[in-house]
Every structure is written in C-alpha cells, then in structure tokens.
Amino acid sequence: MIKEESEEYLMKVIMNADDFGFSRGVNLAILEGFQHGILTSTSLMVNMPGFEHAVSLMKQYPDLLHVGIHLVTTVQYSVVKGLKTLTDENDHFYRDPEIIEKSDQSELDKEYQAQMDKFLATGLKPDHIDFHVCTTPKQLKAAMKLAQKYHLPMRAQDQQIEGILKEHGIVYAPCHIPDFYDHGTVNTLLKLFEKALDEKREMIELALHPAYVDQTLLDLSSYHVQRAREFASLMNPEVATFIQQHDIELISFEDL
C-alpha cells in the first residue's frame, strides 16, 4: 500500500536481525526475511564460520541488505591473536561479561578495531554498530570510539546508554527492544508492537534472531530451534497485515 504524501506513519521500526555471518542457515533466513520485506537491518559477525558466505550475499544483494557490524567478545575466536585478558590461550573468547569488564581497555579497543578492519576489507562499510550478547561499560567505550571515527549510528540498549550516546553526539536508535528473544511467537511480536504504539513511541528497534537451523548453529549456540520459531513468526502473514493496518513504517539504521 502506497501512502499519500499527507499521511503520516504512527511509528517507525527498525527490524534488525542479529548474528548475520554466524552460519549459512542464519544467513539464508536473514536474506529471505529481507526479500519478504519484514527485515530492514542486520548486523554482521566477522569472526564466525558464516562470514564469507554472508559477505557474498552482501555483494550479490547490495541494494537489499542493510548491514551493520555486530561486535563480538563472547563467542568463538578473536580476530587479534594473543590477547591476554579477553581470550584464553587458544584465542577463544570467554563468555563472561565480568571478565570482559575486567579486561584491558586497550585490548578491547584493538579487537574491535580489528573486527571493523575485517569488515572494511571486504570493500563494504557497516551502516551501524551493535553488540553480541552484552554491553559492558568498557565495550561501550570501545564501540563509541568506532562510531565517532566512522560516523556510524549505534544501538542503544537502554535509556542510560541513550543518554551517554546523546551526550557524545552519536546517533542512535531509541527504544531498543530485546523481548522477542526466547519468546518468538506471532502473539509476542504483535504485543510488542501494540505496547509501543500505546506508549506513543515514535521509533523502536527490535532485536531479532531468525535462522534455518544447521549443524554450525547447533554446535555453537544453545539458542537454535528458538531461532527457527522466530523466523516462522516473522514470516507469518499476520505480522505484515498488522504492520500495514497500524501505519507502521519499517526503516533501517541508514534512515536515522
């Protein structure tokens, strides 16, 4: 449905699929979500097994996929080898926010820059910055340096972070909503939309994790079958109908 110029949308929504690059199954579901028109944004993990496949899709569909960088410090291996405080002796990240926050800030800065460099080495540029699993104060500080250096918007995971980003002149998506995670039903999604509309939110960002389940996902994540449920719910016609009927505009970080 094409809206008349005089009409206004009630709310803008960034539908961001996290974990692009995790595996081929994750990548293909995210691609299909874009093709279906329900996903408007995704974020790339540069240290995961599906990275090269994800990059090939980005180059094949440059006008369709809107891709940010999903900064990683909690799964698989670091890009920088030999870190002393962020990884074990095998360069494997610890899955522990407390260890991340106690790590050397210079190592975190170095690793995040290396992840950005790996993204940029593809010849492509991310359209925003967000995080995998957690955001500690040190992670936020390191990511903000990248945001300012490359003039990129960021995910703001709570109101406190929104305030920090605003103070530093960094563009962000307001009202980040992670609540679809592990509750990936159509009913949950529609209730999240309804709540935001009732609160008269002008914009929200939903964190989503759609996937086709493959062996890589089963091996590396405890959140696997749930991703398939999320994907099925996102693709349900009820969701598209609700969005259209309630004058919701789906946007990407590029539109901020």
Side-chain angles (χ1 to χ4, degrees), residues 149-168:
K149 180 177 180 179
Y150 296 101
H151 307 289
L152 294 173
M154 285 182 60
R155 168 180 286 170
Q157 290 185 259
D158 55 43
Q159 287 188 324
Q160 181 181 11
I161 292 177
E162 286 185 22
I164 294 170
L165 297 179
K166 185 176 182 179
E167 181 182 346
H168 287 81

Side-chain angles (χ1 to χ4, degrees), residues 23-26 212-219:
S23 71
R24 291 180 67 90
V26 172
Y212 287 112
V213 179
D214 57 17
Q215 192 62 50
T216 300
L217 191 59
L218 290 172
D219 289 343

